[in-house]
Amino acid sequence: MASVEVSLKEMMTEAEGALGAAVVDYTSGMALGTLGGSKDLDMTVAAAGNTDVVRAKVRAMEQLGLKSQIEDILITLGNQYHLIRPVAGRSGNGLFLYLVLDRARSNLAMARHHLKRVEGQLEI
């Protein structure tokens, strides 16, 4: 099992082209931890803002009566991918992993694979 700090380091080092990573509580909007970012990418602000994305999708699924769980949410920008992965299981209820990738330097399929593995090892 991995702590938030270890999980963030793994997200940043294992996903080629990673620009920033966060573990976020979408019930409160607070980041439990962030790593990376830049003057143009404040990971704390981005993590808090993406709580609205997760909440909206969860709400839409409830309204539609969908029983499936969200594996991940992808937001594609001109030069970045923003990948959101809700944490499954009791220990991660209300949490999501958030990874920002440089679109030109990343492999989206591999990044999704890495996030799934990090999610499985995260212990809160």
Side-chain angles (χ1 to χ4, degrees):
M1 294 296 160
S3 67
V4 169
E5 183 178 316
V6 169
S7 296
L8 290 169
K9 287 178 184 175
E10 287 180 12
M11 289 165 62
M12 289 295 292
T13 58
E14 292 183 16
E16 189 173 339
L19 300 173
V23 177
V24 187
D25 178 344
Y26 71 80
T27 58
S28 69
M30 299 212 29
L32 301 181
T34 64
L35 193 60
S38 66
K39 65 179 180 74
D40 297 324
L41 178 62
D42 183 323
M43 288 304 296
T44 303
V45 172
N50 278 294
T51 61
D52 291 333
V53 172
V54 175
R55 288 181 195 149
K57 187 59 189 171
V58 168
R59 200 169 37 254
M61 289 179 65
E62 288 171 356
Q63 290 172 346
L64 292 168
L66 299 176
K67 301 297 181 204
S68 188
Q69 289 189 332
I70 300 169
E71 282 189 31
D72 55 43
I73 299 169
L74 172 64
I75 300 168
T76 305
L77 304 179
N79 60 351
Q80 295 175 346
Y81 292 124
H82 290 236
L83 193 54
I84 299 167
R85 184 174 184 92
V87 178
R90 289 183 297 144
S91 68
N93 194 22
L95 301 180
F96 67 89
L97 302 178
Y98 175 51
L99 181 63
V100 180
L101 302 163
D102 179 322
R103 191 170 166 177
R105 296 185 306 121
S106 64
N107 179 322
L108 184 56
M110 289 304 295
R112 290 181 69 220
H113 175 73
H114 290 311
L115 273 188
K116 182 178 181 179
R117 193 182 53 69
V118 169
E119 175 207 355
Q121 296 176 348
L122 180 65
E123 182 68 35
I124 302 295

